[in-house]
Amino acid sequence: EEKVNTMTVSWGGMGVFWGRNVAYLFVRHSRYTKEFIDAAEGFSLSFYDTAKYRKMMSYVGNVSGREEDKIKNAGLTVMFHDEVPYFAEAETVLLCRKLIRQNLAPEGFIDEKLGERWYSGEDEGNYHDMYIAEITQILKKTED
């Protein structure tokens, strides 16, 4: 509860894996939020009314929590459920327990053009880790 961070994620999804309802996401090694995900047993995924929160989502996706208190500056309210942080402004929150973390490394690329496309230039060597996490609970906002 001493420090929380957030980021926007566009690479991921949901499904069933090992007989469990899961969410999966990909986080670059350079992201500050990765330190928080790695240190905790679980994490939350928050979904917002995009029309209402588009500006906030753009802000938290473009500013590092290393540099400033972006949660405060974005006007987000941190809440906790079983020690997992989430945001009161979210319409829906998935509470997740990590099952696996797998590094995406060049030797695993079947289509080598993907490595050239996503991990060259300023992103050279800045690979993603894939996280698969069991969805343990879904919180749904019932009123504003």
Side-chain angles (χ1 to χ4, degrees):
E1 292 189 23
E2 294 175 16
K3 189 143 173 89
V4 173
N5 199 48
T6 188
M7 63 181 274
T8 58
V9 174
S10 61
W11 290 11
M14 292 180 273
V16 177
F17 190 64
W18 292 328
R20 300 173 187 189
N21 294 322
V22 298
Y24 58 93
L25 61 142
F26 302 84
V27 181
R28 283 196 190 270
H29 294 173
S30 64
R31 294 301 296 252
Y32 185 46
T33 302
K34 185 177 180 328
E35 297 174 24
F36 292 84
I37 294 171
D38 288 344
E41 183 178 322
F43 56 85
S44 65
L45 298 172
S46 300
F47 299 85
Y48 299 89
D49 175 337
T50 54
K52 187 174 180 181
Y53 290 103
R54 183 175 309 278
K55 185 176 178 182
M56 176 277 296
M57 290 187 298
S58 176
Y59 173 77
V60 299
N62 288 300
V63 172
S64 174
R66 281 187 186 107
E67 310 302 322
E68 61 185 75
D69 187 346
K70 71 178 180 179
I71 292 170
K72 177 183 173 188
N73 295 342
L76 291 169
T77 307
V78 179
M79 307 289 288
F80 289 90
H81 185 81
D82 294 334
E83 299 182 16
V84 177
Y86 70 96
F87 300 104
E89 292 77 12
E91 295 290 320
T92 304
V93 174
L94 304 181
L95 300 175
C96 301
R97 184 177 65 84
K98 294 184 303 187
L99 299 174
I100 188 170
R101 180 186 73 216
Q102 180 66 50
N103 181 256
L104 299 183
E107 55 272 11
F109 297 163
I110 295 169
D111 182 344
E112 293 177 8
K113 291 179 184 173
L114 294 175
E116 295 169 14
R117 165 66 174 95
W118 296 105
Y119 302 105
S120 62
E122 69 180 45
D123 289 319
E124 187 169 355
N126 188 16
Y127 295 100
H128 287 83
D129 276 355
M130 175 185 65
Y131 295 87
I132 300 175
E134 180 177 16
I135 300 169
T136 58
Q137 194 164 359
I138 299 172
L139 307 178
K140 181 80 175 144
K141 185 183 271 189
T142 56
E143 60 185 66
D144 254 347

